[in-house]
Amino acid sequence: MRADARRNHDRLLDAARAAFAEHGADASLEDVARRAGVGIGTLYRHFPNRPALLGAVFQDALEALLRRSAELAEADEPCRALVEWLRAVVAHAGAYRGLARALMSASRDESSALGQCSVPLHAAGERLLVRAQEAGSVRQDVSVGDLMQLTNAIALAAEQSPEDEELADRLLALTLQGLRPAP
């Protein structure tokens, strides 16, 4: 990428992060371009659609989740490792208003840039889930897809009640109780 194109790319990502933080994942792409000091055509040359821009914006957070999963993969308590990682996923999905909804939609479309972000995330979660299942801490019929949809749903519910800062943790705790095998 040429130096000027790289600068535009970086400015677009910075502007998108700011716009998404202020207005949520549905922020106007025209506003993103304006904040970056470029035209809308330049934005679309770098990011052909909203999911591509969202995927690029959230790449850093995705990499952090993948690193955390790798660290937790060797934890002595597989169930606790899975729970810690699920909390991080809920926090990630709730980082920007509208992101949880976008992630839920993208999970069904692996051809989209945002959907492609979910592939390594699912693999990372699968490793933690299998370890917890092998330890007898999680029911065998639970899938990583189920967990990812649940974490996004929890983030979406918490987004709808921003005044209740404990809601995501309470909902996750309730969900985790349902993951345990029957005695």
Side-chain angles (χ1 to χ4, degrees):
M1 195 179 285
R2 293 184 343 238
D4 61 333
R6 169 56 56 196
R7 275 192 306 275
N8 285 342
H9 185 270
D10 293 344
R11 288 191 347 229
L12 283 163
L13 286 176
D14 289 343
R17 285 184 190 100
F20 294 160
E22 189 176 332
H23 301 291
D26 292 330
S28 159
L29 296 184
E30 289 80 8
D31 180 45
V32 171
R34 188 170 44 319
R35 286 174 186 240
V38 301
I40 192 70
T42 299
L43 183 145
Y44 282 117
R45 273 192 299 283
H46 287 273
F47 307 102
N49 52 42
R50 181 179 301 276
L53 181 58
L54 285 168
V57 165
F58 302 120
Q59 191 63 40
D60 291 341
L62 172 66
E63 289 170 9
L65 286 170
L66 295 177
R67 280 192 305 276
R68 189 64 186 133
S69 171
E71 293 166 3
L72 292 168
E74 302 303 319
D76 292 335
E77 296 181 49
C79 187
R80 182 169 288 169
L82 177 63
V83 169
E84 185 175 327
W85 189 75
L86 290 173
R87 278 198 170 93
V89 172
V90 169
H92 164 67
Y96 296 96
R97 192 175 68 251
L99 177 58
R101 179 176 287 113
L103 289 169
M104 289 175 89
S105 297
S107 70
R108 294 183 297 276
D109 180 11
E110 289 182 14
S111 67
S112 78
L114 195 54
Q116 289 173 1
C117 289
S118 70
V119 173
L121 204 56
H122 275 73
E126 181 77 26
R127 285 189 297 274
L128 296 171
L129 173 61
V130 167
R131 284 193 71 230
Q133 287 171 324
E134 288 172 350
S137 302
V138 175
R139 297 175 7 194
Q140 292 298 314
D141 63 337
V142 174
S143 75
V144 72
D146 295 339
L147 293 179
M148 298 309 290
Q149 289 289 39
L150 284 169
T151 56
N152 286 326
I154 289 168
L156 185 59
E159 177 184 305
Q160 301 303 310
S161 300
E163 71 285 349
D164 187 351
E165 296 175 9
E166 306 291 319
L167 181 60
D169 272 344
R170 284 196 320 275
L171 292 176
L172 185 58
L174 287 169
T175 299
L176 295 172
Q177 289 176 4
L179 297 178
R180 290 193 182 115

